[in-house]
Amino acid sequence: MSIFIFSDTRVIVQGITGGEGKFWTKHMISAGTKVVAGITPGKEGETVEGVPVFHTIRRALSQVQADASVIFVPASFAKDAVFEALDAGLKKVVVLADGIPTQDSLEIRSWALSLGAMVMGGNTSGVATIGESMMGFIPFWLTHVYGKGNVGIMTRSGSLTNEVASHVVRAGYGFTSVIGIGGDPVPCTRFAEVMPLFQEDVHTKALVIVGELGGTMEEEAAELVQKKIFTKPLVAFIAGRTAPPEKKMGHAGAIVTAGKGTVSSKVGALEKAGARVASRPSQVGELLKESLRGNGDG
Amino acid sequence: MKLYEYQTKELFQQVGIPTPKGKVIGSATELESVKIDFPLPWVIKSQVRKGGRGKAGLIQFASTEEEARNVVQRLFNHPEKISKLLLEERLDIKKEMYLSIIIDPETASPLIMACTEGGMEIEEIAKLFPEKIIRERVDISRGLGNFQARNVMYSLGLQGKQIANGAQVLMQLYRLFRSCDADLAEINPWVITGPETVVAADAKMNIDDNALFRQKRFVKSRDQFDDDLEFEAFQAGLHYIRFDGDIGVMSAGAGLTMTILDLIHHFGGRPANFLEFGGAAYGRAAKAMDIALKNPKVKVILITTFGLIARADVIAQGIAQAITELKPKIPIVAAVRGTGEEEAFKILEGLGLEPMRYTEEAVKKAVAIAAGRAS
């Protein structure tokens, strides 16, 4: 078990014929993902890794059935691609592009919420259920980074997740599902919306949050713990303790204005709620041990 | 990208948001040649991107032409490197208010903020008059309703014709906010000058950098950056911020790069920069190193990547290319991991570099080198 994607989730790849689309379709299939169709306008009739390509999702759905879509198109086309997937009735969408205009993300989120769909991204490395399925570009084959186990992980960052995940594995644990909600200032799905899924999943014994400065998502996560909506052990690492204020550090999300969204406010909220916060990635494994021991699962 | 006041006011004029009469000049001699069709006294406002211009002496008044010439002369010679001045009629201000639209990350919506107190920074207003701030959330798929705009104006206590005029301003401001892909549109102060008139005395708009591909009228030029290297990096599709330490940071992914800065501080070192070449820029390790090396304070280059789509082997090839071309004279510490890492380790070994397998070990080593404890 796991969350969001499973071994039987039927996945469409939008932008399958591009360089990254092709490269990662191969890896998604070897991760166990059931890729049923690829979409690139003008390329219908071709195949990529044995997957049939269609001009549009509507045309694909006349031939195959699908539940989810992973989108490899550039940021400038991302909103249109997400709307195409949502209009076709797909309820799970992962949009990988880095650099989606913020107002596009607002529109995507608003539209997805009204349809009861969940969109992960943009600016994410994707989602994976280890040993079952992967949508995006998570190097699941690096078993010293992404071993299978009973810890869930959700994150606003890609490379940093690899770093943190490798320390979780070094400490002897592995993962159920990896959920990248993305590094944009306004992601299409928020931490607090993913946590109930991890709460329900019987195989997830603990959760790791990889956060960063900016926004209020870590504070919202703390609130779920405080209110006992999320009751499993929670360990967080939050990047940006020493970032100067008013400077954008790559992710537009990671900017502190008017004293809101600082790392110290996030750490404070999480610790007050009873979560453990690592001050360095290498401490995450140790804190996870402590939490699981405290929970009688050590 | 931050627009200058005069640029924002040009946009306002195009959509009918009242602004003071004004004229932009680019030099002291231009003051002699341009025709100014509004009478003295004038407000002379330096066009710089940062706030607090009044306190910094960058906004001056002139009640005679003689005075205006002196002020213009002085401001163009200011160390702040001012390239444009906005000359405006001096308004008869009855009351200063605040009006803005931002993107609220918490509700993922445009958010209108208004206040009967204006003329200071919103942070200050929020501190002094938190109960006076009027907030109106906009559902982005529905757009701003006229009734919402009217509600804001009634809450501000506007009277008579000011209400319809003010609501019209807010509707147009929202249209501009949407059509320009702004992440901030602010009128502060928004001033009442008569029984019917509300005028945008100052105007600020920030455009979402991610939308510049479809906002062709806004071009990010050198004056949008604090530093030559930051501009050079931007042109190469990289993100660079200069600090005053001595460890040259090269990393992929903003979250990891921020963590590296945190770790450098934790182990007692000082980063020379933030430099991120992740995502679509992962093939540009060579250019990234070129930029990192241009800061003469740098004593060691610390490369830490843990890529997903940013493949380690491609990054290692970029490092190899950079070393061949740039022949750096300072030590390089590299932990290049993630997708394709075994291949990357071989490439680094071929360069005579020790491929580090743990990020924190690499950071510690770079800190030791910068401190002269290792080489």
Side-chain angles (χ1 to χ4, degrees), chain A residues 110-171:
Chain A
S110 163
W111 198 232
L113 285 176
S114 74
L115 294 170
M118 209 173 216
V119 178
M120 298 294 177
N123 195 6
T124 174
S125 43
V127 300
T129 288
I130 305 303
E132 289 193 43
S133 187
M134 189 269 281
M135 293 165 72
F137 37 83
I138 295 172
F140 60 91
W141 61 90
L142 299 175
T143 49
H144 60 288
V145 185
Y146 290 107
K148 194 173 163 62
N150 58 11
V151 177
I153 184 166
M154 61 179 190
T155 172
R156 292 168 68 181
S157 183
S159 299
L160 178 57
T161 310
N162 281 353
E163 176 71 28
V164 172
S166 71
H167 290 290
V168 172
V169 171
R170 247 180 126 183

Side-chain angles (χ1 to χ4, degrees), chain B residues 207-344:
Chain B
I207 309 300
D208 178 2
D209 284 352
N210 285 341
L212 291 178
F213 71 87
R214 65 184 177 205
Q215 296 290 345
K216 303 278 188 216
R217 58 187 151 162
F218 306 120
V219 179
K220 256 187 135 167
S221 52
R222 169 66 185 88
D223 59 359
Q224 292 280 331
F225 296 84
D226 296 332
D227 186 287
D228 282 333
L229 273 183
E230 290 181 13
F231 181 52
E232 186 181 340
F234 165 76
Q235 286 178 307
L238 304 170
H239 192 143
Y240 178 94
I241 301 168
R242 189 199 286 264
F243 303 130
D244 45 14
D246 50 17
I247 299 173
V249 172
M250 286 172 60
S251 192
L256 183 61
T257 313
M258 276 192 290
T259 303
I260 299 301
L261 302 182
D262 292 348
L263 288 171
I264 290 174
H265 282 115
H266 177 85
F267 291 119
R270 292 174 71 228
N273 63 277
F274 173 100
L275 173 55
E276 199 255 310
F277 62 105
Y282 77 86
R284 287 174 223 151
K287 182 66 192 170
M289 194 184 289
D290 180 31
I291 288 170
L293 286 168
K294 281 187 179 166
N295 177 349
K297 284 189 185 167
V298 171
K299 289 184 190 156
V300 54
I301 296 281
L302 170 63
I303 308 169
T304 44
T305 67
F306 210 142
L308 305 104
I309 204 160
R311 279 159 46 195
D313 50 332
V314 177
I315 291 169
Q317 280 159 12
I319 296 168
Q321 186 198 335
I323 290 178
T324 317
E325 286 170 10
L326 306 165
K327 300 186 178 56
K329 291 180 182 61
I330 54 173
I332 293 170
V333 179
V336 179
R337 306 178 61 202
T339 307
E341 66 180 23
E342 289 308 327
E343 186 60 31

